[in-house]
Amino acid sequence: MSGASDVIIVGGGLMGSSAALFLRGHGLSVTLLETDLIGRQASGTNFGNVRRQGRPIHQLPLANRAIAIWRKSRELLGADVEYLQSGHIRVCYRDRPELVGSMEDYAANARMEGLDLELVSGNVLRDKFPFFGPDVLAGSYSPTDGHANPRLAAPAFARAAARLGAVIHENTQIVDAQKVGEDFIVTAADGRTFRAPILLVTAGAWGNALSSQFGEPVPIVPKGPTMSVTEPVPYAILPTVGVMTPLEQETVYFRQVARGNIVLGGSTRGPSFPDQYRAYVEPQNTVSQLKHIRRLAPSLGRLNIIRVWSGIEGYMPDSQPVMGPSATTSGLYYAFGFSGSGFQIGPGVGETMAEIIAKGATDIPTEPYRVERFTTQA
Amino acid sequence: MAEQRMSPRVIIVGAGPAGTRAAQACVQAGVRPILLDEGRRDGGQIYRRQPDNFTRPYAKLYGSEAGRAQALHETFNGLKSAIDYRPETLVWNIAGGQVWTASATYADAIPFDALLLCTGATDRLMPVKGWQFAGSYSLGGSQVALKSQAVSIGHNVVFMGSGPLLYLVASQYVEAGANVVAVLDTAPYSARIKALPDLLAVPSVLWNGVTLTMKLKRAGVAVHNGVTPLEIIGNADSGVSAVRFRTGAGTEQDIVCDAVAMGHHLRPETQLADLARCAFAFDPGTRQWLPERDSDGRSSVAGVYLAGDGAKILGARSAEASGRLAALAALADLGLPVDKGEMTSLRGDVGTYAKFARGLAKAFPWPSHQASQLPDDAILCRCEGVTAGDLRGIMRQTGAKEANRAKAFSRVGMGRCQGRYCGLAAAELIAAEADIPIEQVGRLRGQAPVKPLTIAIGDDQ
Ligand SMILES: Cc1cc2nc3c(=O)[nH]c(=O)nc-3n(C[C@H](O)[C@H](O)[C@H](O)COP(=O)(O)OP(=O)(O)OC[C@H]3O[C@@H](n4cnc5c(N)ncnc54)[C@H](O)[C@@H]3O)c2cc1C
Ligand SMILES: Cc1cc2nc3c(=O)[nH]c(=O)nc-3n(C[C@H](O)[C@H](O)[C@H](O)COP(=O)(O)OP(=O)(O)OC[C@H]3O[C@@H](n4cnc5c(N)ncnc54)[C@H](O)[C@@H]3O)c2cc1C
């Protein structure tokens, strides 16, 4: 037996790393196990949007909890994760005027959850942000959203957790998990075992491999969103920008980092290979992404991209995560399958899971995320 | 539905010596290859052609290699009607059996049965404090200035680094009438003596090297061996003003100059092989990661072949042989008849050049220790302005000791050049700082596009 603790966490992305930090805050001993290095998968490769606007209304309490943590991240983590409350604009195009109504409805409901949004016409937007193209009909501005650096975030949470005593094993892939008596025993590929009465699965796109071992298979689909970044140019674009549309192809977004590079994301997602821990960018997806970026902001057509990448994200059929206790096994908890939008809420997920585990309850609504929605026949 | 197999689709990337000889072998076998090169003209690096309006004679441009240059150019001219040559066409990605190209804003995806990567090399650079000042060039860059534009990089030029190109470009500058103030070689003279047995594998090239050194001495150029570069002195406004170094005997010296050409031999352009998902292996001789290939140039991926300096730095003559050999291997794999005897003899030629290359590596060793000795305030990654001290501090804070991990935290190698110029030195610094063997640091994963790609791509389609 390599180690015993109060809680074992399998998966060292943002969810596992932040849960480890907050569990230490509740005084529980924690062992965090990660196949690769901390925060190299979805949490380290994502676009970096720290945005509440656009999330389902039922998710806003969780997102609000997260934003409070992002705001104090520097003090909490003792590291700069480049969190910037720079604003977020969601726009719709002229060929979908009905979306203006959706934006208005959304803003009214979001306000009740404490998120203030401002609806702006295309012309006013173009006055303030001349990079928007003529196709942009209207936008919804969220001054309190922003972005952060995904490469830095999860590792900073894990280092902070380790400073508070969490034990972290990288290069440790869990291949078997069982409940034996009161304890979970998890076994790594190299034969090491770890024991604890509580097991938290934060294994991202790989979550189903573990939940299946407890009779709870879920229909998770791994995919790789398409990302690009430009050469650095003078810092001029403060807010993060994204398109509201029902079409995956048209869903593009961008942000400029303080260094000057503009990060571009979205449009068609590519295949990913969880078994190999690799996701590849399909060149045709890069070309199509850039086409849709030109529609959103034609002047970006003058720039060059210097790198593309992708990452492995687990998508659920209803785009909502599996988050909460197992229905088959006491002491077992899940938080995975964040369906392309787990970065912003990540720290809130960690704090909420720690609360559920340490206190047995939380005020944050988690009903929509129950694992039973996939495992019990209606 | 009779399967009417058309002529096999062969794509060659790179119109240098390797790619040209590969194309010639295809044409001789009755295959019309597509030859892609991002350059405006054929010839590749060493036999780079001058712009149309220049008329310098071969002997002046290519020196001892004039005959080979002319032969290669004439071969190419003769092939033009039998190949589908697309200049100014960048290959920026490879996926799903297709090569993705960009020509201005025109994007294309071209399927292939066999792909020959003949992508050549770029300078291998070792950072020196102050190397970001205007007036610092790579050896390759200074040679390009001379070959294609007939201009010198400065009035008083210092050549610093090591390797055959150091002497070659310095003497080309002397010949062109530029003022070469000094040649500062980090390799001790004794290394060359030890390398002699291997260098004798190709006596004529060895002799070329010896005459270069004599020519420099005769022109009164100060040549120092076994130096340690300390600093390129200058400032952001007026650029380079001097070079500071320690002599082999241990004294510090400044040399006044307004330009420095730097390099430590070459590194292969392996990004396309990486994107084609070829396996790589660590080569202890050069301390670089190289794509794996068999004696004929087959990579680990079926249908993908590697030749020339893009696979391993073996020089221009070897590139001609390995380009032809890889093409013959591809044609044989496609079921076309090839001369097995010729393949055997080409394999022998490449083996001889490989021996010579081992000699060069011994004679002009990569001064890996220089990276670990870089002062904290020296810039390591010029694109992103990351200093050696930044990287060391981030390693201490985060425990990062893998190349891609260190890049993710520090931005080293994350800029426009994608780590071409700082990646090898950064790996040495990480290895020294973490006290681990360099191969454990790993290698920076290649990502598309291999060169910057316009966002306007596909705009005209
Ligand atoms: C390209 C891309 C762009 C995105 N853009 C955004 C965005 O802008 N905004 C936003 O909010 N969200 C975005 N997302 C989604 C967001 O990144 C994820 O939802 C979030 O990071 C998920 O965190 P995680 O910890 O659950 O998963 P991960 O970060 O994937 O972590 C799971 C970890 O578990 C480990 N693991 C798996 N199985 C095992 C095992 N058996 N044993 C040990 N370890 C194991 C994995 O190695 C991995 O490190 C994006 C995702 C991607 C891929
Ligand atoms: C700057 C420089 C100067 C050199 N000078 C000398 C010299 O004077 N004497 C000497 O003996 N050796 C010299 N060398 C070494 C030289 O590289 C080789 O010996 C020889 O040119 C190798 O031939 P090759 O066919 O392998 O590659 P190269 O001649 O380099 O040809 C490679 C070709 O591939 C093209 N290419 C690469 N990537 C792509 C892409 N993604 N898309 C499209 N096209 C692409 C390039 O444009 C280039 O034309 C030099 C090397 C460099 C880098």
Side-chain angles (χ1 to χ4, degrees), chain B residues 14 17-18 37-38 44-46 91 118-121 140 143 168 266 308-309 315-316:
Chain B
D37 198 300
E38 63 176 311
Q45 280 297 358
I46 171 169
V91 176
C118 306
T119 45
Q143 193 190 42
L168 175 68
L266 302 165
D309 275 2

Side-chain angles (χ1 to χ4, degrees), chain B residues 93-431:
Chain B
N93 206 348
I94 296 169
Q98 291 184 317
V99 153
W100 287 77
T101 64
S103 185
T105 60
Y106 178 77
D108 202 1
I110 319 171
F112 58 84
D113 299 309
L115 172 65
L116 286 104
L117 299 177
C118 306
T119 45
T122 56
D123 294 88
R124 175 163 62 165
L125 297 182
M126 176 58 78
V128 176
K129 186 180 174 186
W131 72 319
Q132 73 278 14
F133 293 136
S136 299
Y137 291 81
S138 68
L139 284 172
S142 26
Q143 193 190 42
V144 169
L146 197 65
K147 266 195 205 171
S148 68
Q149 300 299 329
V151 295
S152 164
I153 57 170
H155 298 293
N156 302 300
V157 185
V158 168
F159 286 81
M160 181 163 77
S162 195
L165 223 48
L166 184 72
Y167 294 88
L168 175 68
V169 184
S171 70
Q172 286 169 340
Y173 264 65
V174 167
E175 208 143 291
N179 184 27
V180 175
V181 204
V183 174
L184 307 178
D185 188 343
T186 57
Y189 201 78
S190 57
R192 255 180 263 183
I193 310 295
K194 276 187 220 138
L196 260 183
D198 286 328
L199 292 175
L200 279 165
V202 191
S204 59
V205 179
L206 174 61
W207 178 245
N208 285 349
V210 174
T211 37
L212 287 180
T213 317
M214 293 190 319
K215 204 186 281 173
L216 286 169
K217 296 233 160 110
R218 235 183 291 128
V221 175
V223 178
H224 297 264
N225 298 100
V227 310
T228 305
L230 296 176
E231 186 175 349
I232 295 170
I233 299 169
N235 64 52
D237 295 330
S238 57
V240 174
S241 57
V243 166
R244 177 167 299 162
F245 67 103
R246 196 181 306 120
T247 65
T251 53
E252 271 188 31
Q253 208 171 307
D254 288 1
I255 295 185
V256 173
C257 60
D258 60 358
V260 194
M262 290 194 297
H264 289 271
H265 207 27
L266 302 165
R267 52 165 287 286
E269 279 282 290
T270 56
Q271 290 90 341
L272 286 181
D274 202 357
L275 292 173
R277 301 187 200 172
C278 298
F280 279 62
F282 183 73
D283 177 49
T286 58
R287 295 170 76 82
Q288 296 174 5
W289 289 83
L290 302 176
E292 290 174 16
R293 53 175 183 157
D294 73 2
S295 58
D296 297 349
R298 290 179 190 85
S299 76
S300 65
V301 175
V304 178
Y305 303 79
L306 311 165
D309 275 2
K312 183 170 184 169
I313 305 301
L314 300 180
R317 296 188 189 181
S318 180
E320 290 192 46
S322 67
R324 183 166 179 88
L325 178 58
L328 294 177
L331 294 165
D333 294 349
L334 289 167
L336 291 157
V338 296
D339 180 346
K340 295 276 155 59
E342 189 195 357
M343 288 181 74
T344 308
S345 107
L346 287 168
R347 259 175 236 136
D349 293 348
V350 175
T352 306
Y353 295 121
K355 184 161 192 240
F356 183 78
R358 277 196 297 278
L360 284 182
K362 282 185 204 161
F364 305 105
W366 162 245
S368 52
H369 55 278
Q370 231 174 274
S372 55
Q373 288 163 7
L374 267 185
D376 274 349
D377 60 349
I379 286 187
L380 174 62
C381 167
R382 286 190 294 194
C383 295
E384 293 300 305
V386 183
T387 66
D390 292 338
L391 179 57
R392 290 188 184 113
I394 282 166
M395 286 182 65
R396 279 194 294 273
Q397 192 203 351
T398 65
K401 48 186 172 191
E402 188 272 334
N404 297 286
R405 188 69 160 172
K407 167 180 163 185
F409 289 158
S410 70
R411 305 189 70 93
V412 163
M414 204 174 259
R416 206 183 151 85
C417 86
Q418 295 242 41
R420 277 182 179 81
Y421 297 123
C422 67
L424 294 170
E428 298 286 0
L429 187 147
I430 293 167

Side-chain angles (χ1 to χ4, degrees), chain A residues 10-16 33-51 55 172-175 202-206 210 223-227 253 277 309-313 315 335-345:
Chain A
V10 179
L14 186 54
M15 308 308 166
L33 306 172
E34 166 56 48
T35 302
D36 181 32
L37 299 177
I38 295 291
R40 268 235 262 218
Q41 302 304 322
S43 298
T45 55
N46 68 67
F47 172 72
N49 223 347
V50 179
R51 134 194 93 77
R55 290 179 183 276
T172 302
Q173 180 174 23
I174 298 308
V175 292
T202 49
W206 299 261
L210 288 150
K223 288 184 213 164
T226 303
M227 299 289 130
Y253 31 90
Y277 282 77
W309 73 93
S310 183
I312 306 173
E313 172 71 339
Y315 290 82
F336 64 83
F338 284 87
S339 308
S341 48
F343 186 60
Q344 188 276 340
I345 53 174

